[in-house]
Amino acid sequence: MRVNRILLSSSLIVVALVVQVSVLARLHLPGAVPDLLLLVVLGLALVYGHVGGALVGFAAGLLADLAPPADHAAGRYALVLCVIGYLAGLVKPESGQVKTAAGPMLVVVAAAIGSTLLYAGVGALVGDTAARHVGLSGLLFTAALYDLLLAPFVVPGVMALARRAENDPLAETSSGKSGDLSSGWLSGGTGLRIGGQRNGLRVKAARARSARAGRIKGVKRL
């Protein structure tokens, strides 16, 4: 991954995790907790593609696994977000820009439901049955609802920042300068050649005039 991708992804992940743990988790909403970290991963995956989405998802999930007050096995949420980031990156728009909001909203709903199911499935494999006591159907509905309501305020902004970070101004400036220099060299070379041709024509014309004047003087003397 590029340096600008790493810096932007790290900053967004840290901010999203802090807001989710310190604000959203303390709202005590019924059912699931709004997953701001998931929305950030989706926004980055829709710009970076499946490989970048998988890497960002794994890093974000691992940070969430290690950050307090995590009460589950480390690597569980990293696996979930890695898979979700990879799948979301597969539907990345070819042009890099989303024409309508319907596509990203469907991705958000599918990711909210898929991440909840995958998290519960991995938990069942390691002996965590908390989802059964809370009610899986209620978790699925509230997770999709909360993430869908929060997505218009998060996903477009994350995608805009990621696209802006992809356009490296230093690279554009250096390429522009090299283009200007090359065009300058070409125009300078052309000017020198044209100038040389003009000087040569002037010398030839002067010689022709002097030769003609000499002939005329010779005729007059005769």
Side-chain angles (χ1 to χ4, degrees):
M1 296 180 68
R2 299 177 182 176
V3 176
N4 50 1
R5 286 189 178 187
I6 296 175
L7 293 177
L8 178 63
S9 302
S10 302
S11 302
L12 292 177
I13 288 172
V14 171
V15 172
L17 183 61
V18 171
V19 173
Q20 182 168 332
V21 173
S22 60
V23 178
L24 298 179
R26 297 183 179 182
L27 295 178
H28 301 291
L29 297 174
V33 176
D35 200 341
L36 184 60
L37 199 60
L38 173 66
L39 298 179
V40 170
V41 171
L42 292 179
L44 295 175
L46 290 175
V47 177
Y48 294 158
H50 58 283
V51 177
L55 293 175
V56 171
F58 179 80
L62 185 61
L63 185 61
D65 288 333
L66 299 177
D71 56 351
H72 54 269
R76 179 177 172 184
Y77 200 47
L79 174 62
V80 172
L81 287 188
C82 181
V83 174
I84 296 299
Y86 179 84
L87 295 177
L90 293 177
V91 298
K92 169 189 173 183
E94 296 181 358
S95 61
Q97 295 182 354
V98 179
K99 297 181 180 179
T100 61
M105 292 300 103
L106 291 177
V107 173
V108 170
V109 174
I113 296 176
S115 62
T116 305
L117 289 175
L118 186 58
Y119 187 82
V122 175
L125 293 177
V126 297
D128 185 4
T129 60
R132 298 179 182 178
H133 301 290
V134 177
L136 186 58
S137 59
L139 286 177
L140 293 175
F141 176 76
T142 53
L145 179 61
Y146 296 154
D147 292 347
L148 189 60
L149 293 176
L150 193 60
F153 304 98
V154 178
V155 177
V158 172
M159 293 180 66
L161 290 175
R163 283 196 298 265
R164 182 174 297 181
E166 286 294 281
N167 300 326
D168 191 357
L170 296 178
E172 293 179 358
T173 304
S174 60
S175 62
K177 288 183 178 179
S178 61
D180 295 339
L181 289 174
S182 60
S183 61
W185 277 110
L186 292 175
S187 61
T190 305
L192 289 175
R193 286 196 294 269
I194 292 174
Q197 292 175 358
R198 288 179 179 176
N199 292 330
L201 292 175
R202 290 176 181 175
V203 172
K204 290 181 180 179
R207 290 178 180 177
R209 286 195 298 267
S210 62
R212 189 180 306 169
R215 291 171 187 170
I216 294 174
K217 289 180 181 180
V219 171
K220 288 183 178 180
R221 290 176 181 178
L222 293 174

